[in-house]
Amino acid sequence: MDLQRPRSAYNLVQMVQLASELGLPLARCLEGSGVDERRLSEAEAEFSGHAEIAVIANIVRHLDHVPALGLRMGQRFHMSAYGLMAFALCSCQTVGDATRLAMRYGALSFSLTATRLDIVGGDARIWLEDGHVPVPLRRFVIERDLVGLTNIGREMFSSTLPMRHIALAYPAPAYAADYARYLGLVPEFSAPQQQIVFDRAVMESPIPQADAVMLRRCEQQLQVLLERRKAGTGTAGRVRQFLRRQPGMAVADMAAASAELQIQPRSLRRSLQAEGVSFRALADELRQSLAEELLLVPQLSVEDVAHRLGYDEVASFTRAFKRWTGLPPGKWRSLRLRGLR
């Protein structure tokens, strides 16, 4: 699992809310994570997996005395954690199809645990991989993810999927008996491999809401979201995130990006070149994307769009837009709204 990749702020919000209820101030939760608490309330906010791990480390360090902390945290996660993917999962033909789809787009889910499905004889085995998680945090992450996934499965399929066996690598905690209340059974602890075992028939169970057309539509959008998440990695990804936060992208400059990212301008330029892009190309890419989105809002004039992008003169915006698309913004909008492009 790539911890550099952006992840939804939903994960952090759920965790810091419970931590706050347990007496841990927000500032202590976010300490050293690089997360700006003001951005937690933004609907589209995203943070790296490394930031999420840092927040988890703070919560575990300060609240490790709370029994079953990871299990309790998992209860905070529901279908809303899956967003668009929830519709896709409910549209699959079988539980097995839904499981494979969830794994295929796992980077879009709340889970930090990597998974793999094997069908062997009468068993369906989901292997759990947490090697990318620091050892002191693995129990918390596994507990959170197992309970969260159990909740989501119950909400999607109107019943708990019957697990026959759970094997976990870490030793049994003092509250081991509590697992039955959250998961329906007590796992095997100190196991050589981590897995959840279902009867194969569970994976072959049909999903009542199956809809092939809806599934295709959802998968198309999920693929777009996945590509956007992938584009958020590396130096180029950090620059993209910086540019998205700028109120006037027309005047965004490398010096400001260098200062915020704490990278010398020359080093930033070299890093971007190594990834096959330039600062100007990234800025133009995002300006064009935002310009096209705004131009599709009929209530906004071309002048409004230009000003929202930070251009002082409409003529400057028009020249830039023609360089990006080959068309002036008014003509592009007319053709797109008529469905000719």
Side-chain angles (χ1 to χ4, degrees):
M1 179 173 288
D2 185 356
L3 294 179
Q4 292 187 48
R5 189 169 293 175
R7 293 166 56 80
S8 171
Y10 175 96
N11 309 337
L12 296 186
V13 170
Q14 299 308 311
M15 292 195 296
V16 300
Q17 283 180 349
L18 177 59
S20 176
E21 293 168 12
L22 294 172
L24 186 64
L26 178 59
R28 301 286 289 278
C29 291
L30 303 182
E31 188 176 17
S33 68
V35 174
D36 184 342
E37 65 180 79
R38 293 170 297 184
R39 296 197 61 226
L40 285 176
S41 60
E42 296 178 8
E44 300 301 321
E46 294 180 330
F47 302 96
S48 72
H50 289 297
E52 187 171 333
I53 288 289
V55 172
I56 290 173
N58 290 334
I59 291 173
V60 169
R61 181 168 62 254
H62 294 295
L63 297 176
D64 196 40
H65 61 280
V66 177
L69 179 62
L71 299 175
R72 292 177 64 178
M73 193 66 77
Q75 285 194 309
R76 311 288 295 214
F77 290 82
H78 300 279
M79 274 184 64
S80 53
Y82 266 32
L84 175 65
M85 197 192 303
F87 291 99
L89 294 173
C90 291
S91 300
C92 291
Q93 290 294 316
T94 67
V95 171
D97 292 337
T99 302
R100 293 183 185 91
L101 184 141
M103 293 177 180
R104 196 157 60 246
Y105 295 102
L108 300 176
S109 79
F110 78 92
S111 178
L112 277 169
T113 306
T115 55
R116 174 173 56 86
L117 173 65
D118 283 338
I119 304 295
V120 181
D123 292 344
R125 299 174 181 268
I126 296 178
W127 302 93
L128 309 174
E129 173 55 50
D130 59 3
H132 51 284
V133 177
V135 173
L137 309 181
R138 289 179 184 174
R139 186 180 72 193
F140 175 93
V141 168
I142 287 287
E143 289 180 346
R144 183 197 76 166
D145 290 357
L146 280 180
V147 175
L149 292 170
T150 299
N151 282 350
I152 291 168
R154 183 185 304 114
E155 292 169 359
M156 286 183 180
F157 308 123
S158 302
S159 63
T160 301
L161 297 178
M163 294 177 279
R164 201 172 74 221
H165 183 69
I166 302 175
L168 302 175
Y170 51 83
Y175 53 85
D178 290 348
Y179 278 74
R181 179 156 55 91
Y182 292 93
L183 300 174
L185 73 165
V186 176
E188 170 194 357
F189 294 99
S190 300
Q193 294 179 302
Q194 301 194 117
Q195 59 180 306
I196 308 170
V197 183
F198 299 87
D199 286 333
R200 179 174 183 165
V202 171
M203 292 294 148
E204 296 170 351
S205 301
I207 296 177
Q209 311 96 308
D211 185 327
V213 174
M214 177 62 73
L215 177 60
R216 283 196 299 273
R217 291 175 179 171
C218 288
E219 279 219 71
Q220 289 173 352
Q221 296 179 60
L222 287 173
Q223 190 60 44
V224 171
L225 290 174
L226 188 60
E227 291 302 320
R228 286 180 181 172
R229 288 278 176 92
K230 289 179 179 178
T233 61
T235 302
R238 295 176 66 196
V239 170
R240 284 188 178 97
Q241 292 176 35
F242 162 78
L243 290 170
R244 289 191 185 102
R245 295 194 294 271
Q246 304 314 300
M249 289 182 56
V251 294
D253 62 85
M254 182 178 284
S258 298
E260 177 159 325
L261 301 180
Q262 298 182 335
I263 303 174
Q264 290 296 322
R266 184 178 299 176
S267 298
L268 177 58
R269 188 177 295 107
R270 282 200 300 264
S271 294
L272 291 175
Q273 287 175 347
E275 295 179 19
V277 294
S278 67
F279 184 86
R280 179 178 178 178
L282 291 175
D284 279 351
E285 168 194 308
L286 290 174
R287 288 177 188 131
Q288 178 182 349
S289 176
L290 183 55
E292 291 177 353
E293 289 181 21
L294 293 174
L295 285 169
L296 293 178
V297 179
Q299 294 82 1
L300 295 178
S301 67
V302 172
E303 290 79 5
D304 292 333
V305 173
H307 293 149
R308 290 198 181 196
L309 289 172
Y311 288 91
D312 292 328
E313 298 179 357
V314 176
S316 298
F317 169 60
T318 299
R319 285 194 297 272
F321 196 84
K322 286 183 70 175
R323 176 164 53 85
W324 301 331
T325 68
L327 293 171
K331 180 68 172 178
W332 182 93
R333 164 188 264 172
S334 176
L335 291 172
R336 180 59 66 91
L337 291 178
R338 291 209 309 264
L340 298 179
R341 282 180 68 89

